Amino acid sequence: MAGGAVAPLQQGMLPDTIASFLPFGGLAADVVGALLGAFLIANFLLINTAFAGPWAKRKITAAFTDRIAVNRIGPFGLFVIVADAVRLLSKELIVPEGVDRPAWDLGPILIPFSALLGFAVIPMGSGLQLADPETGLAFAFAASSIASLGLIMMGYASNNKYSLLGGLRAVASNIAYEIPLIVTGVSVVLFTGTLQTSAIVEAQRAAFLSVAGVTIPQWFAFVNPFAFVLFVVANVAEVGRNPFDIPEAPTEIVAGYQTEYSSVYFVLIYLGEFIHIFLGGAIAATLFLGGPAGPGPAALGIVWFTAKIWAFFLFTQWLRSAIPRLRVDQFIEIGWKGMLVLSFANLVLTAVIVGVLA
């Protein structure tokens, strides 16, 4: 119901389910259940990232440029995932002179940590959710924004002018596009009357309309496609994919904030980049695509959820292969003069519609 709070789908959280199978109870069971649940969700995401980064990214880019990509190591080249992990982790970790060591060390850790933390409140299927606070959506946005701090720390701590420029560009990027991203997300909150992610997903289970006997669900991508497009564009800017890959811009500032990183730290940065893409897709799916909803029994929710976040990943790879990078001035102008204005216009329009319907 537009403008009114929607009761979330009643289902047990993953830590509670795990705790119920343990031979002991009380606080110890709650702690162990939470740790095991977080371990399972984190590994699910790491497995998806392992396929996306070293393998799928190369295959997709090769398909766009009429090349073959990896195909020699294992079936379809899949074992390149293991080979790349061994290659990168076995490289020497080179620490340049003059770096601000605590910040330089902490920066790469914050990027994957912030993305994994954001998944704590994302409903991935029936009972596959770590926590469901009433401020879940705000928590997801706040957790993902911690990565910005990591980018800034890496930029200024590296004692490298190219890294510093990359960090400054990251600040400009996040300020210019994070506001439209959140404001557009708030337009969904106006429809549902809640920040609780499970309730937002539940609000999209109703039927929107029926065409030729086919029922279209009340996904907010159908209810408000303009907001969905705005959110996806701002989301792409947040995860730093073309045409918005300004903070690292290899042809201009070498690799930006990550210029001075190698070995395990480079792996953490690379890992965090892809987990953030999946987190962006997960938030978009939760807000606009019904979360884990899809045809078939509820047990297939995790399948539909995985398909949706991979669809967002494939979309970002298409952009990476097909669209050139913007100039910095164009990038900032689109953010402040275009996306910000349109996001507030969408918010006002949504408020008017909700007011009329109420």
Side-chain angles (χ1 to χ4, degrees):
M1 183 182 297
V6 179
L9 183 65
Q10 296 300 316
Q11 57 185 23
M13 296 294 102
L14 181 59
D16 296 334
T17 303
I18 295 174
S20 67
F21 287 99
L22 296 176
F24 50 88
L27 179 61
D30 293 338
V31 172
V32 173
L35 291 175
L36 288 177
F39 177 80
L40 292 174
I41 296 297
N43 277 276
F44 167 75
L45 296 170
L46 291 175
I47 290 171
N48 278 276
T49 305
F51 280 98
W55 185 75
K57 175 183 175 182
R58 290 171 173 169
K59 283 292 193 182
I60 295 166
T61 304
F64 273 105
T65 53
D66 197 22
R67 292 182 291 117
I68 297 175
V70 289
N71 67 342
R72 298 297 183 90
I73 309 176
F76 307 104
L78 282 170
F79 289 172
V80 75
I81 298 171
V82 179
D84 267 2
V86 173
R87 175 176 64 86
L88 290 170
L89 294 175
S90 62
K91 286 181 177 292
E92 179 185 2
L93 179 61
I94 300 173
V95 182
E97 293 183 359
V99 300
D100 185 346
R101 192 60 192 268
W104 192 81
D105 289 329
L106 188 58
I109 299 173
L110 285 179
I111 298 179
F113 169 77
S114 64
L116 290 172
L117 185 63
F119 271 98
V121 296
I122 300 295
M124 302 183 186
S126 181
L128 296 178
Q129 187 176 358
L130 290 177
D132 191 24
E134 293 183 358
T135 56
L137 183 60
F139 178 88
F141 281 130
S144 64
S145 66
I146 296 175
S148 305
L149 181 60
L151 299 180
I152 297 166
M153 292 171 67
M154 290 190 292
Y156 87 81
S158 292
N159 192 31
N160 180 304
K161 61 184 178 182
Y162 297 111
S163 299
L164 179 60
L165 285 173
L168 293 175
R169 287 183 173 194
V171 175
S173 167
N174 292 325
I175 293 176
Y177 287 88
E178 199 164 271
I179 298 174
L181 184 75
I182 294 174
V183 170
T184 307
V186 169
S187 68
V188 172
V189 175
L190 288 180
F191 273 113
T192 61
T194 179
L195 288 165
Q196 196 169 9
T197 52
S198 63
I200 293 173
V201 169
E202 178 66 10
Q204 299 175 71
R205 292 181 180 273
F208 180 48
L209 53 86
S210 182
V211 179
V214 177
T215 301
I216 299 175
Q218 190 176 270
W219 292 0
F220 291 118
F222 301 139
V223 175
N224 191 351
F226 177 63
F228 178 60
V229 171
L230 281 179
F231 192 87
V232 168
V233 172
N235 214 344
V236 170
E238 278 294 292
V239 300
R241 274 291 180 255
N242 290 48
F244 304 114
D245 60 334
I246 297 297
E248 53 190 50
T251 56
E252 302 165 27
I253 50 176
V254 187
Y257 56 85
Q258 58 181 319
T259 300
E260 298 293 355
Y261 286 93
S262 59
S263 187
V264 65
Y265 282 176
F266 177 81
V267 173
L268 287 173
I269 296 169
Y270 195 70
L271 177 70
E273 177 183 333
F274 281 88
I275 299 178
H276 266 282
I277 293 175
F278 284 126
L279 177 60
I283 296 175
T286 300
L287 288 176
F288 292 97
L289 300 175
L300 292 178
I302 184 62
V303 176
W304 289 114
F305 177 81
T306 304
K308 290 170 186 178
I309 62 175
W310 268 88
F312 182 73
F313 168 74
L314 295 175
F315 176 67
T316 62
Q317 295 309 300
W318 171 72
L319 293 176
R320 184 175 182 271
S321 300
I323 299 180
R325 182 185 305 118
L326 295 169
R327 294 197 315 261
V328 176
D329 59 316
Q330 295 171 331
F331 174 76
I332 298 299
E333 187 171 355
I334 290 173
W336 287 110
K337 295 183 180 180
M339 295 294 298
L340 185 65
V341 175
L342 291 174
S343 64
F344 275 105
N346 169 72
L347 184 65
V348 172
L349 178 62
T350 303
V352 171
I353 294 174
V354 170
V356 171
L357 292 178

